[in-house]
Amino acid sequence: MGKAHIQEAIEKVVERGDKAFIPYIMAGDPDISQLKEQLLFLEKSGATVVELGIPFSDPVADGPTIQEAGKRALNSGTTVKKVLEALSSFRDEISIPIVLMTYINPLFKYGLSQFFKDSQAAGVDGVIIPDVPLEQRPLIDEHMNRTDIALIQLVTLTSPDHRIKRLAQASEGFLYAVTVTGITGARSAVSENLESFIYSLKKHSNVPVMAGFGISTPEQVKEISSLGDGVIVGSRVVDLLHQGKREEITQLIQAAVGTPASH
Amino acid sequence: MTTYSQPDQNGQYGQFGGRFVPETLMQAVLELQEAYEEAQKDPAFHELLEHYLKDYIGRENPLYFAENLTKHTGGAKIYLKREDLNHTGAHKINNTIGQSLLAVRMGKKKIVAETGAGQHGVATATVCALLNLDCVIFMGEEDIRRQQLNVFRMELLGAKVISVTHGSGTLKDAVNEAMRYWVSNVEDTHYIIGSVLGPHPFPQMVRDFQSVIGKETKQQILDKEQRLPDTIVACIGGGSNAMGMFYPFIEDTEVKLVGVEAAGSGIQTGKHAATLTAGEVGILHGSLMYLLQNEDGQIQEAHSISAGLDYPGVGPEHSYLHETKRVQYTSVTDEEALDALQLMCRKEGIIPALETAHAIHYAVELAKVSPKDEIIVICLSGRGDKDVMTVKSALEGRQNG
């Protein structure tokens, strides 16, 4: 469980010559009762790790697709407590690592110590909190002390070299390379200086480097995952899941991890 | 009194404040802090700022003895700090001129801002026209509906006004969109936040640019009365006019400072914007501060007749001054503000903003029960031309209701 579970899952895929794939879904979209089945589907399709969003009323790092998913999840009554309770109830039936992604305020309100304690008990392996930069980590570090949960750092194209080094060294489980200067959401073109960016991250990081933001087609999955250890796809997966186009999600995942027959 | 030296080097006021922003913005926020510190040390920057404050904005503005209003209450002397007489009609431009000069200094060519009532949007569009900067303003669709005059003013000044339909379509949602825009365009864009909110150094910077209000007031009251006032009253949404007014008086503990929040339809109805009166500590828009939120940490919608107070948070420094009890925070309802607005119109021939009317109500009630030799200063933060249609329909509603 925890940090090692995430890192090993990614490394296992990379060692066999494929790339890791992390889909993002919003817990409680359309309803928390479907979470178990959604996670089982992603696991069966070959996802390496799942990034599981918990909705927040004011998601400033997210584009329209994930904002809408968050709204649907809030409307269905999704809370931090309900997500952790749901995970606890079926965690032993799903083996892939689970990383929670949410903003700091719902966790702060829940109580940070309690949140990490309950997350550990629910089998959560890592967390991503986009509005807690390195400078504010003291607020949460003391509460994470006795858990094995990975705190995953985002590193962006606007981060200068000295920050890249610090972020790469501080990140646990994997390093989240944000591939566009912007918010989450599908885009038609990806940034041209991505290659040198990912290369410099690989150089400094002790954990796998996963690239995310703006990736939406199997071609982009192949192209961008080839630069690092794999990709994270959020908005496109959320969209496809919402529309019931599950085969297309499987195609995205397999563009990175390969088909079961190829392993 | 000990020296007041908030915030600390991490941008914190006690436990409040900080920099809770996505990594994409961290570099911009750190660069801004550096540029601001450099500018503060540069006499040429101050000279340029002084020039615009005086010759463009029209400072210093008067501290006016409201004799009729004072007679009407029969108690303490009431003075009005006339921020409504600034160019563009409110205190907002004190901040936008400072920040835009800083943006030019940093080589940024574009400005993004949010606006609630539209006063900050107009003040931003104005300085962008003056300094030849591209200007994008995000405004909630509900606010666009109730502040159409200001929307047109911004467009006339060359700004692009973008309607925000997410959430409640008010100020909070406009801040979300402005921050998303900044995240996506951070390399050539500066974000002029309109109140003492956001990640460090914004709350400090906005306070400093607004503190011209309190500095002038202090000198003016000493000239007129040879002493400091007993009480200073200002309205609070995010809290920039209040912070600018209070800051130069914080160490003068004999001066009572009162911040007036919007109680909307009444605190007990849940439809209000009284964050310090009825909120809890949380983190939003880059800062740890008091917030209106539900038991799951979801931000709740604020409600007020005045669009400028319709925000579910309050600046981190106000949160700190609330906890240390240096400033007293209270609240005034929509109805009370409407009455105070009409009173100011009739007695002094001044149409104040609905935001300001909240402070006026509190000050008038206080004056009634205070001795005649006491002095109360109201920060008359803005003029009410923008609000006349809202006031008209509210008063018609009263007659028909």
Side-chain angles (χ1 to χ4, degrees):
Chain A
M1 282 294 139
K3 298 165 193 169
H5 189 206
I6 299 170
Q7 196 167 340
E8 282 161 15
I10 297 169
E11 282 167 358
K12 201 176 110 193
V13 178
V14 174
E15 274 161 22
R16 73 167 188 241
D18 290 320
K19 296 293 179 179
F21 188 99
I22 304 182
Y24 169 100
I25 61 169
M26 177 66 78
D29 174 25
D31 193 87
I32 197 84
S33 62
Q34 297 183 32
L35 181 60
K36 178 183 173 182
E37 189 276 324
Q38 289 169 334
L39 291 172
L40 283 169
F41 157 72
L42 293 170
E43 179 174 60
K44 189 163 154 262
S45 300
T48 317
V49 174
V50 173
E51 185 186 348
L52 185 62
I54 300 178
F56 177 49
S57 53
D58 297 79
V60 294
D62 286 306
T65 307
I66 294 179
Q67 286 177 46
E68 285 304 314
K71 214 184 274 179
R72 291 193 294 269
L74 286 174
N75 287 341
S76 74
T78 310
T79 63
V80 174
K81 188 163 178 273
K82 284 187 182 163
V83 173
L84 292 177
E85 280 171 1
L87 286 176
S88 296
S89 71
F90 59 70
R91 187 65 182 99
D92 52 359
E93 296 170 59
I94 293 162
S95 60
I96 56 170
I98 292 174
V99 171
L100 296 181
M101 184 285 192
T102 192
Y103 292 80
I104 184 65
N105 198 55
L107 307 184
F108 189 79
K109 187 72 175 66
Y110 189 90
L112 293 169
S113 287
Q114 195 66 41
F115 168 73
F116 286 110
K117 195 174 147 230
D118 293 351
S119 293
Q120 175 99 333
V124 169
D125 298 283
V127 294
I128 299 171
I129 314 172
D131 54 349
V132 177
L134 215 45
E135 281 74 1
Q136 301 295 158
R137 269 194 57 166
L139 182 77
I140 50 177
D141 278 348
E142 57 173 315
H143 303 288
M144 293 191 69
N145 268 342
R146 266 172 253 108
T147 71
D148 191 31
I149 293 172
L151 187 58
I152 293 151
Q153 294 289 342
L154 278 79
V155 56
T156 67
L157 291 160
T158 58
S159 313
D161 282 347
H162 61 93
R163 276 189 82 81
I164 286 181
K165 276 181 206 159
R166 285 173 62 206
L167 290 162
Q169 277 151 25
S171 199
E172 300 163 337
F174 64 86
L175 178 62
Y176 194 140
V178 178
T179 49
V180 293
T181 302
I183 53 179
T184 60
R187 285 167 180 79
S188 53
V190 290
S191 177
E192 62 234 23
N193 45 5
L194 207 53
E195 200 170 332
S196 61
F197 174 60
I198 307 262
Y199 177 78
S200 114
L201 298 183
K202 286 292 292 174
K203 203 173 65 184
H204 294 298
S205 179
N206 302 318
V207 290
V209 175
M210 298 291 297
F213 279 39
I215 302 168
S216 59
T217 66
E219 292 70 34
Q220 288 174 336
V221 169
K222 271 196 196 312
E223 184 191 340
I224 296 169
S225 65
S226 71
L227 303 174
D229 297 304
V231 291
I232 303 163
V233 179
S235 297
R236 184 67 183 151
V237 169
V238 166
D239 230 1
L240 292 171
L241 196 63
H242 182 57
Q243 294 173 30
K245 296 181 179 167
R246 293 197 167 193
E247 321 79 72
E248 287 188 46
I249 296 176
T250 306
Q251 283 163 18
L252 282 172
I253 296 175
Q254 291 182 350
V257 304
T259 55
S262 69
H263 297 163
Chain B
M1 164 91 194
T2 50
T3 320
Y4 180 84
S5 57
Q6 302 294 337
D8 68 15
Q9 57 188 17
N10 298 318
Q12 288 182 239
Y13 307 78
Q15 65 163 323
F16 300 102
R19 283 176 288 230
F20 292 90
V21 290
E23 174 62 22
T24 309
L25 290 182
M26 266 317 288
Q27 192 53 24
V29 163
L30 293 171
E31 273 170 16
L32 179 61
Q33 186 181 345
E34 206 174 296
Y36 179 57
E37 280 166 10
E38 269 174 30
Q40 268 185 316
K41 285 182 215 143
D42 181 0
F45 181 77
H46 288 282
E47 216 171 280
L48 195 60
L49 182 60
E50 287 296 322
H51 159 70
Y52 284 113
L53 287 174
K54 179 171 180 285
D55 291 339
Y56 188 69
I57 297 174
R59 303 200 74 98
E60 78 177 29
N61 56 40
L63 180 70
Y64 166 71
F65 173 48
E67 200 175 350
N68 298 337
L69 195 62
T70 300
K71 274 189 191 143
H72 169 79
T73 67
K77 290 175 89 168
I78 298 175
Y79 279 89
L80 309 174
K81 179 57 176 166
R82 299 291 306 274
E83 292 300 309
D84 61 318
L85 296 180
N86 292 338
H87 178 41
T88 72
H91 69 289
K92 293 290 186 187
I93 199 164
N94 301 330
N95 169 44
T96 62
I97 189 70
Q99 284 205 47
S100 59
L101 288 173
L102 194 62
V104 170
R105 210 180 146 93
M106 292 172 74
K108 306 273 182 183
K109 303 269 186 272
K110 294 182 191 161
I111 297 294
V112 62
E114 83 294 335
T115 195
Q119 291 304 96
H120 175 59
V122 168
T124 303
T126 299
V127 297
C128 286
L130 176 71
L131 300 173
N132 192 27
L133 297 162
D134 280 352
C135 182
V136 175
I137 307 281
F138 287 95
M139 188 168 183
E141 65 173 352
E142 166 67 12
D143 289 338
I144 285 183
R145 189 189 58 73
R146 54 182 173 178
Q147 299 290 350
Q148 284 182 10
L149 178 65
N150 272 344
V151 174
F152 185 63
R153 286 168 83 195
M154 287 184 264
E155 287 171 349
L156 206 52
L157 290 159
K160 188 174 167 196
V161 181
I162 301 178
S163 170
V164 178
T165 55
H166 304 294
S168 52
T170 59
L171 183 53
K172 157 183 98 90
D173 309 287
V175 174
N176 288 343
E177 275 315 302
M179 285 188 87
R180 290 186 186 112
Y181 183 91
W182 196 32
V183 169
S184 304
N185 297 275
V186 63
E187 272 145 20
D188 62 354
T189 304
H190 174 67
Y191 177 23
I192 301 191
I193 201 160
S195 192
V196 283
L197 297 166
H200 182 63
F202 284 106
Q204 179 189 10
M205 204 165 66
V206 177
R207 172 198 75 190
D208 292 350
F209 287 133
Q210 290 293 0
S211 65
V212 65
I213 303 173
K215 275 184 218 151
E216 287 180 5
T217 301
K218 201 171 198 175
Q219 191 53 55
Q220 288 170 318
I221 199 76
L222 287 173
D223 290 346
K224 287 177 197 288
E225 297 276 354
Q226 291 75 51
R227 70 173 184 97
L228 295 179
D230 297 282
T231 306
I232 302 178
V233 186
C235 65
I236 300 208
S240 72
N241 88 83
M243 209 54 244
M245 177 56 114
F246 294 165
Y247 184 58
F249 291 94
I250 284 183
E251 293 180 6
D252 304 308
T253 45
E254 71 272 29
V255 181
K256 217 173 120 191
L257 305 173
V258 183
V260 184
E261 299 188 307
S265 312
I267 303 288
Q268 74 288 350
T269 65
K271 289 192 170 299
H272 61 83
T275 316
L276 288 169
T277 310
E280 286 174 279
V281 176
I283 300 163
L284 180 71
H285 296 148
S287 210
L288 200 148
M289 59 184 171
Y290 274 84
L291 291 175
L292 299 179
Q293 55 180 319
N294 70 13
E295 57 183 17
D296 300 311
Q298 307 298 344
I299 309 305
Q300 289 183 311
E301 290 174 20
H303 294 273
S304 169
I305 190 169
S306 64
L309 302 184
D310 222 344
Y311 182 76
V314 63
E317 194 163 13
H318 284 298
S319 300
Y320 174 76
L321 293 168
H322 171 64
E323 281 211 343
T324 59
K325 298 194 163 57
R326 173 63 188 96
V327 178
Q328 180 201 331
Y329 295 90
T330 181
S331 63
V332 160
T333 65
D334 289 350
E335 291 295 313
E336 290 167 331
L338 271 171
D339 289 341
L341 182 141
Q342 294 175 85
L343 183 67
M344 184 62 82
C345 292
R346 302 279 167 85
K347 293 295 169 196
E348 296 292 348
I350 295 170
I351 304 176
L354 269 170
E355 289 78 7
T356 313
H358 289 73
I360 296 167
H361 173 81
Y362 178 86
V364 165
E365 294 305 307
L366 177 67
K368 284 180 187 168
V369 296
S370 301
K372 283 185 190 314
D373 60 350
E374 287 207 352
I375 299 168
I376 299 172
V377 173
I378 303 172
C379 184
L380 206 111
S381 55
R383 68 178 186 222
D385 307 45
K386 68 183 172 58
D387 293 320
V388 292
M389 294 315 289
T390 306
V391 173
K392 182 168 180 272
S393 63
L395 294 179
E396 282 167 359
R398 264 186 193 178
Q399 275 176 351
N400 303 332

